[in-house]
Amino acid sequence: QVQLVESGGGLVQAGGSLRLSCAVSGRSVLNYDMGWFRQAPGKEREFVADIPWLGGLASYADSVKGRFTISRDNAQNTVYLQMNSLKPDDTGVYYCAASRTYWGQGTQVTVSS
């Protein structure tokens, strides 16, 4: 199986930055798309970004395009989400996912105005 553990969430001011990390362990994810999703209170979980484990074309939700960057360090078995120019609407629990099937426990991101 795949274990995913997120970290790096916190409270930031609008316009600030955070970098989320997702530590990956367990079975191989070489053929997986690694992604980030988020869920605000009372809202559905939504796609944020993903990238193949081995790298390549990344995709982003329109709401974060140009502000967020997904990357991975294969040697460290870690996926990152660099979040810049944060907005209050970015507030939510951010989840790391493998193939949109395996999920971490989430890390809270709160952006204050």
Side-chain angles (χ1 to χ4, degrees), residues 23-93:
V24 181
S25 61
R27 66 187 290 178
S28 173
V29 293
L30 291 176
N31 297 319
Y32 284 33
D33 289 327
M34 303 302 299
W36 290 93
F37 291 71
R38 67 188 182 188
Q39 187 169 23
K43 297 182 66 177
E44 297 288 331
R45 186 175 299 185
E46 65 176 351
F47 168 79
V48 175
D50 66 4
I51 191 170
W53 177 254
L54 292 175
L57 183 65
S59 61
Y60 298 91
D62 288 342
S63 59
V64 308
K65 196 169 298 180
R67 300 187 297 119
F68 291 11
T69 303
I70 187 171
S71 62
R72 77 278 177 266
D73 186 334
N74 300 83
Q76 296 295 318
N77 295 315
T78 303
V79 182
Y80 302 98
L81 184 68
Q82 178 67 45
M83 305 186 295
N84 299 324
S85 302
L86 283 162
K87 306 174 180 179
D89 285 349
D90 295 319
T91 293
V93 178

